[in-house]
Amino acid sequence: MADFDGRVVIITGSTGGFGAAAATLLAAEGPHLVLSDLSDDSLFALTAGLPGDHAFPACQLSYPSLSHAL
């Protein structure tokens, strides 16, 4: 894997399958993770099992006006 030590990685949808897998794999490589999702509880549970110190704001990052087109 690339050298992520000391870098910042942002993962949206981080408590879902792919997001949680990416967070788990990357956390072992040394970056500071910023993990976002809609649920505080899910974010807290995910970060509790990861090595290191990470930020985890619960937030909505989509455009509601565009959601009908998806």
Side-chain angles (χ1 to χ4, degrees):
M1 221 180 220
D3 182 16
F4 287 101
D5 192 35
R7 297 184 183 258
V8 175
V9 176
I10 300 169
I11 302 174
T12 61
S14 59
T15 62
F18 288 118
T24 302
L25 289 172
L26 286 169
E29 299 297 321
H32 301 284
L33 300 178
V34 177
L35 307 172
S36 71
D37 214 308
L38 298 176
S39 169
D40 281 328
D41 293 336
S42 296
L43 287 165
F44 183 74
L46 175 63
T47 57
L50 299 177
D53 187 27
H54 310 290
F56 50 99
C59 57
Q60 172 62 275
L61 298 175
S62 67
Y63 291 98
S65 62
L66 298 177
S67 63
H68 70 281
L70 301 177

Coordinates of all heavy atoms in Angstrom, one line a residue:
M1 N 0.8 -1.2 0.0 CA 0.0 0.0 0.0 C 0.9 1.2 0.0 O 2.0 1.2 0.4 CB -0.9 0.0 1.2 CG -2.3 0.4 0.9 SD -3.3 0.4 2.4 CE -4.8 -0.2 1.7
A2 N 0.3 2.4 -0.4 CA 1.1 3.6 -0.4 C 1.4 4.1 1.0 O 0.8 3.6 2.0 CB 0.2 4.7 -1.1
D3 N 2.3 5.0 1.2 CA 2.7 5.5 2.5 C 1.7 6.6 2.9 O 1.7 7.7 2.4 CB 4.1 6.1 2.4 CG 4.5 6.6 3.8 OD1 3.9 6.2 4.8 OD2 5.5 7.3 3.8
F4 N 0.8 6.2 3.8 CA -0.2 7.1 4.3 C 0.1 7.8 5.7 O -0.6 8.5 6.2 CB -1.6 6.4 4.5 CG -2.2 6.1 3.2 CD1 -2.2 4.9 2.6 CD2 -2.9 7.1 2.5 CE1 -2.8 4.6 1.4 CE2 -3.5 6.8 1.3 CZ -3.5 5.6 0.7
D5 N 1.3 7.4 6.2 CA 1.7 7.9 7.5 C 1.7 9.4 7.6 O 2.3 10.1 6.8 CB 3.1 7.4 7.9 CG 3.4 7.6 9.4 OD1 2.5 7.5 10.2 OD2 4.6 7.9 9.7
G6 N 0.9 10.0 8.5 CA 0.8 11.4 8.8 C -0.1 12.2 7.8 O -0.3 13.4 7.9
R7 N -0.7 11.5 6.9 CA -1.7 12.1 6.0 C -3.1 12.1 6.5 O -3.4 11.4 7.5 CB -1.6 11.4 4.6 CG -0.3 11.5 4.0 CD -0.3 10.9 2.6 NE 1.0 11.0 2.0 CZ 1.4 11.9 1.0 NH1 0.5 12.8 0.7 NH2 2.6 11.8 0.5
V8 N -4.0 12.8 5.9 CA -5.4 12.9 6.3 C -6.2 12.2 5.1 O -6.0 12.6 4.0 CB -5.9 14.3 6.5 CG1 -7.4 14.3 6.8 CG2 -5.1 14.9 7.7
V9 N -7.0 11.3 5.5 CA -7.9 10.6 4.5 C -9.3 10.8 4.9 O -9.7 10.6 6.1 CB -7.6 9.1 4.4 CG1 -8.6 8.4 3.5 CG2 -6.1 8.9 4.0
I10 N -10.2 11.2 4.0 CA -11.6 11.5 4.3 C -12.4 10.3 3.6 O -12.2 10.1 2.4 CB -12.1 12.8 3.7 CG1 -11.3 14.0 4.3 CG2 -13.6 13.0 3.9 CD1 -11.5 15.3 3.7
I11 N -13.2 9.7 4.4 CA -14.1 8.6 3.9 C -15.5 8.9 4.2 O -15.9 9.0 5.4 CB -13.7 7.2 4.5 CG1 -12.2 6.9 4.3 CG2 -14.6 6.1 4.0 CD1 -11.7 5.6 5.0
T12 N -16.3 9.1 3.2 CA -17.8 9.4 3.4 C -18.5 8.0 3.3 O -18.0 7.1 2.7 CB -18.3 10.3 2.4 OG1 -18.2 9.7 1.1 CG2 -17.6 11.7 2.4
G13 N -19.6 7.9 4.0 CA -20.3 6.6 4.0 C -19.5 5.6 4.7 O -19.5 4.4 4.3
S14 N -18.8 6.0 5.8 CA -17.8 5.2 6.4 C -18.3 4.0 7.2 O -17.5 3.1 7.5 CB -16.8 6.0 7.2 OG -17.5 6.7 8.2
T15 N -19.5 4.0 7.5 CA -20.0 2.8 8.3 C -20.6 1.7 7.5 O -21.0 0.7 8.0 CB -21.0 3.3 9.5 OG1 -22.1 3.8 8.9 CG2 -20.3 4.2 10.4
G16 N -20.8 2.0 6.2 CA -21.3 1.0 5.3 C -20.2 -0.1 5.0 O -19.0 0.0 5.4
G17 N -20.5 -1.0 4.2 CA -19.6 -2.1 3.9 C -18.2 -1.7 3.3 O -17.2 -2.0 3.9
F18 N -18.2 -1.0 2.2 CA -17.0 -0.5 1.6 C -16.3 0.5 2.4 O -15.0 0.5 2.6 CB -17.2 0.0 0.2 CG -17.5 -1.0 -0.8 CD1 -18.8 -1.0 -1.5 CD2 -16.6 -2.0 -1.1 CE1 -19.1 -2.0 -2.4 CE2 -16.9 -3.0 -2.1 CZ -18.2 -3.0 -2.7
G19 N -17.0 1.4 3.0 CA -16.4 2.5 3.8 C -15.8 2.0 5.1 O -14.7 2.4 5.4
A20 N -16.4 1.0 5.7 CA -15.9 0.5 7.0 C -14.6 -0.4 6.6 O -13.7 -0.4 7.4 CB -16.9 -0.4 7.7
A21 N -14.7 -1.1 5.5 CA -13.5 -1.9 5.1 C -12.3 -1.0 4.8 O -11.2 -1.3 5.2 CB -13.9 -2.8 3.9
A22 N -12.6 0.1 4.1 CA -11.5 1.0 3.8 C -11.0 1.7 5.0 O -9.7 1.8 5.2 CB -12.1 2.1 2.8
A23 N -11.8 2.1 5.9 CA -11.4 2.7 7.2 C -10.5 1.7 8.0 O -9.4 2.1 8.5 CB -12.6 3.1 8.0
T24 N -10.9 0.5 8.0 CA -10.2 -0.6 8.8 C -8.8 -0.8 8.2 O -7.8 -0.8 8.9 CB -11.0 -1.9 8.8 OG1 -12.2 -1.6 9.5 CG2 -10.2 -2.9 9.6
L25 N -8.7 -0.9 6.9 CA -7.5 -1.2 6.2 C -6.6 0.1 6.3 O -5.4 -0.1 6.5 CB -7.7 -1.5 4.7 CG -8.3 -2.9 4.5 CD1 -8.7 -3.0 3.0 CD2 -7.4 -4.0 4.9
L26 N -7.1 1.2 6.1 CA -6.3 2.4 6.1 C -5.8 2.8 7.5 O -4.7 3.3 7.6 CB -7.0 3.6 5.4 CG -7.2 3.6 3.9 CD1 -8.2 4.6 3.4 CD2 -5.8 3.7 3.3
A27 N -6.6 2.6 8.5 CA -6.2 3.0 9.8 C -4.9 2.3 10.2 O -4.1 2.9 11.0 CB -7.3 2.6 10.8
A28 N -4.6 1.1 9.7 CA -3.4 0.4 10.1 C -2.2 1.0 9.3 O -1.1 0.7 9.7 CB -3.6 -1.1 9.7
E29 N -2.4 1.8 8.3 CA -1.4 2.4 7.5 C -0.9 3.8 8.1 O 0.0 4.4 7.5 CB -1.8 2.6 6.1 CG -2.1 1.2 5.4 CD -0.9 0.3 5.3 OE1 0.2 0.8 5.1 OE2 -1.1 -0.9 5.6
G30 N -1.5 4.3 9.1 CA -1.0 5.5 9.8 C -1.6 6.9 9.5 O -1.2 7.9 10.0
P31 N -2.7 7.0 8.6 CA -3.2 8.3 8.4 C -4.2 8.7 9.5 O -4.6 7.9 10.3 CB -4.0 8.1 7.0 CG -4.5 6.8 7.1 CD -3.4 6.0 7.8
H32 N -4.5 10.0 9.5 CA -5.6 10.5 10.4 C -6.8 10.4 9.5 O -6.8 10.9 8.4 CB -5.3 11.9 10.8 CG -4.1 12.1 11.5 ND1 -3.9 11.8 12.8 CD2 -2.9 12.6 11.1 CE1 -2.7 12.1 13.2 NE2 -2.0 12.6 12.2
L33 N -7.8 9.7 10.0 CA -9.0 9.5 9.2 C -10.1 10.5 9.7 O -10.3 10.8 10.9 CB -9.6 8.1 9.4 CG -8.7 6.9 9.0 CD1 -9.3 5.6 9.3 CD2 -8.3 7.0 7.6
V34 N -10.8 11.0 8.7 CA -12.0 11.8 8.9 C -13.1 10.9 8.3 O -13.2 10.8 7.1 CB -12.0 13.2 8.2 CG1 -13.3 13.9 8.5 CG2 -10.8 14.0 8.8
L35 N -13.9 10.3 9.2 CA -15.0 9.4 8.8 C -16.3 10.1 9.0 O -16.6 10.6 10.1 CB -14.9 8.1 9.7 CG -13.5 7.5 9.8 CD1 -13.5 6.4 10.8 CD2 -13.2 6.9 8.4
S36 N -17.1 10.1 7.9 CA -18.5 10.7 8.1 C -19.5 9.7 7.7 O -19.3 8.8 6.8 CB -18.6 11.9 7.2 OG -18.6 11.6 5.8
D37 N -20.7 9.8 8.3 CA -21.9 9.1 8.0 C -23.0 9.7 8.7 O -22.8 10.8 9.4 CB -21.7 7.6 8.4 CG -22.4 6.7 7.5 OD1 -23.6 6.9 7.2 OD2 -21.8 5.7 7.0
L38 N -24.2 9.2 8.6 CA -25.4 9.8 9.2 C -25.5 9.5 10.7 O -26.2 10.2 11.4 CB -26.6 9.4 8.5 CG -26.7 9.8 7.0 CD1 -27.9 9.3 6.3 CD2 -26.6 11.3 6.9
S39 N -25.0 8.4 11.2 CA -25.3 7.9 12.5 C -24.1 8.1 13.5 O -23.0 7.5 13.2 CB -25.6 6.4 12.5 OG -25.6 5.9 13.8
D40 N -24.3 8.9 14.5 CA -23.2 9.0 15.6 C -22.8 7.7 16.2 O -21.7 7.4 16.4 CB -23.7 10.0 16.7 CG -23.6 11.4 16.3 OD1 -22.7 11.8 15.5 OD2 -24.4 12.2 16.8
D41 N -23.9 6.9 16.5 CA -23.6 5.6 17.2 C -22.8 4.7 16.3 O -21.8 4.0 16.8 CB -24.9 4.9 17.5 CG -25.7 5.7 18.6 OD1 -25.1 6.5 19.4 OD2 -26.9 5.5 18.6
S42 N -23.1 4.6 15.0 CA -22.3 3.7 14.1 C -20.9 4.2 14.0 O -19.9 3.5 13.9 CB -23.0 3.7 12.7 OG -24.2 3.1 12.8
L43 N -20.7 5.6 13.9 CA -19.4 6.1 13.8 C -18.5 5.9 15.0 O -17.4 5.5 15.0 CB -19.4 7.6 13.5 CG -19.9 8.0 12.1 CD1 -20.3 9.5 12.0 CD2 -18.8 7.7 11.1
F44 N -19.2 6.0 16.2 CA -18.5 5.8 17.4 C -18.0 4.3 17.5 O -16.9 4.0 17.9 CB -19.3 6.1 18.6 CG -18.6 6.0 19.9 CD1 -17.7 6.9 20.4 CD2 -18.9 4.9 20.8 CE1 -17.0 6.7 21.6 CE2 -18.3 4.7 22.0 CZ -17.3 5.6 22.4
A45 N -18.9 3.4 17.1 CA -18.6 2.0 17.2 C -17.5 1.7 16.2 O -16.6 0.9 16.6 CB -19.8 1.2 16.8
L46 N -17.5 2.2 15.0 CA -16.4 2.0 14.1 C -15.1 2.5 14.6 O -14.1 1.8 14.6 CB -16.7 2.6 12.7 CG -15.6 2.6 11.7 CD1 -15.3 1.1 11.3 CD2 -16.0 3.4 10.4
T47 N -15.0 3.7 15.1 CA -13.8 4.3 15.5 C -13.2 3.7 16.8 O -12.0 3.7 17.0 CB -13.9 5.8 15.7 OG1 -14.9 6.1 16.6 CG2 -14.2 6.5 14.4
A48 N -14.1 3.1 17.6 CA -13.6 2.5 18.8 C -12.7 1.3 18.5 O -11.9 1.0 19.3 CB -14.8 2.0 19.7
G49 N -12.9 0.7 17.4 CA -12.1 -0.5 17.0 C -10.9 -0.2 16.1 O -10.2 -1.1 15.7
L50 N -10.7 1.1 15.9 CA -9.6 1.4 15.0 C -8.4 1.9 15.8 O -8.6 2.7 16.7 CB -10.0 2.5 14.0 CG -11.1 2.2 13.0 CD1 -11.5 3.4 12.2 CD2 -10.8 1.0 12.1
P51 N -7.2 1.6 15.3 CA -6.0 2.2 16.0 C -5.9 3.6 15.6 O -6.2 4.0 14.5 CB -4.8 1.3 15.4 CG -5.3 0.9 14.1 CD -6.8 0.7 14.3
G52 N -5.4 4.5 16.5 CA -5.1 5.9 16.2 C -6.2 6.8 16.7 O -7.2 6.3 17.3
D53 N -6.1 8.0 16.4 CA -7.1 9.1 16.8 C -7.7 9.6 15.5 O -7.0 10.2 14.7 CB -6.3 10.1 17.6 CG -7.3 11.2 18.2 OD1 -8.4 10.8 18.5 OD2 -6.8 12.3 18.4
H54 N -9.0 9.5 15.4 CA -9.7 9.9 14.2 C -10.9 10.8 14.5 O -11.5 10.7 15.6 CB -10.2 8.7 13.4 CG -9.1 7.7 13.3 ND1 -8.0 7.9 12.4 CD2 -8.9 6.5 13.9 CE1 -7.2 6.9 12.5 NE2 -7.7 6.0 13.4
A55 N -11.3 11.7 13.6 CA -12.5 12.5 13.7 C -13.6 11.8 13.0 O -13.5 11.1 12.0 CB -12.2 13.9 13.0
F56 N -14.8 12.0 13.6 CA -16.0 11.3 13.0 C -17.2 12.2 13.1 O -18.1 11.9 13.9 CB -16.2 9.9 13.5 CG -16.2 9.8 15.0 CD1 -17.4 9.8 15.7 CD2 -15.0 9.8 15.7 CE1 -17.4 9.7 17.1 CE2 -15.0 9.7 17.1 CZ -16.2 9.6 17.8
P57 N -17.4 13.2 12.2 CA -18.6 14.0 12.3 C -19.8 13.3 11.6 O -19.6 12.7 10.5 CB -18.2 15.3 11.5 CG -17.2 14.8 10.5 CD -16.4 13.7 11.2
A58 N -20.9 13.3 12.3 CA -22.1 12.7 11.6 C -22.7 13.9 10.8 O -23.0 15.0 11.3 CB -23.1 12.3 12.7
C59 N -22.9 13.6 9.5 CA -23.4 14.7 8.6 C -23.9 14.1 7.3 O -23.6 13.0 7.0 CB -22.3 15.7 8.3 SG -20.8 15.0 7.6
Q60 N -24.7 14.9 6.7 CA -25.3 14.6 5.4 C -24.5 15.4 4.3 O -24.4 16.6 4.3 CB -26.7 15.0 5.3 CG -27.4 14.9 4.0 CD -27.5 13.5 3.4 OE1 -26.5 13.1 2.8 NE2 -28.5 12.8 3.6
L61 N -23.8 14.7 3.4 CA -23.0 15.3 2.4 C -23.6 15.3 1.0 O -22.9 15.7 0.0 CB -21.6 14.6 2.3 CG -20.8 14.7 3.6 CD1 -19.5 13.9 3.5 CD2 -20.5 16.1 4.0
S62 N -24.8 14.9 0.9 CA -25.5 14.9 -0.5 C -26.3 16.2 -0.7 O -26.5 17.0 0.2 CB -26.4 13.7 -0.6 OG -27.5 13.8 0.3
Y63 N -26.6 16.4 -1.9 CA -27.5 17.5 -2.3 C -28.9 17.0 -2.4 O -29.3 16.2 -3.3 CB -27.1 18.1 -3.7 CG -25.8 18.8 -3.7 CD1 -24.6 18.2 -4.1 CD2 -25.7 20.1 -3.3 CE1 -23.4 18.8 -4.1 CE2 -24.5 20.8 -3.3 CZ -23.4 20.1 -3.7 OH -22.2 20.8 -3.7
P64 N -29.8 17.4 -1.4 CA -31.2 16.8 -1.4 C -31.9 17.1 -2.7 O -32.7 16.3 -3.2 CB -31.8 17.5 -0.2 CG -30.7 17.9 0.6 CD -29.5 18.2 -0.3
S65 N -31.6 18.3 -3.4 CA -32.3 18.6 -4.6 C -31.9 17.7 -5.8 O -32.7 17.6 -6.7 CB -32.1 20.0 -5.0 OG -30.7 20.2 -5.2
L66 N -30.8 17.0 -5.7 CA -30.3 16.1 -6.7 C -30.7 14.6 -6.4 O -30.5 13.8 -7.3 CB -28.8 16.2 -6.9 CG -28.3 17.6 -7.4 CD1 -26.8 17.5 -7.4 CD2 -28.9 18.0 -8.7
S67 N -31.2 14.3 -5.2 CA -31.4 12.9 -4.9 C -32.4 12.3 -5.7 O -32.4 11.1 -5.9 CB -31.8 12.8 -3.4 OG -33.0 13.5 -3.2
H68 N -33.4 13.0 -6.3 CA -34.4 12.4 -7.2 C -33.8 11.9 -8.5 O -34.3 11.0 -9.1 CB -35.5 13.4 -7.5 CG -35.1 14.5 -8.3 ND1 -34.4 15.6 -7.9 CD2 -35.3 14.7 -9.7 CE1 -34.2 16.4 -8.9 NE2 -34.7 15.9 -10.0
A69 N -32.7 12.5 -8.9 CA -32.0 12.0 -10.2 C -31.2 10.8 -10.0 O -30.8 10.2 -11.0 CB -31.2 13.2 -10.7
L70 N -30.9 10.4 -8.8 CA -30.1 9.2 -8.6 C -30.8 8.0 -8.6 O -31.6 7.4 -8.5 CB -29.3 9.4 -7.3 CG -28.4 10.6 -7.2 CD1 -27.8 10.6 -5.8 CD2 -27.3 10.5 -8.2

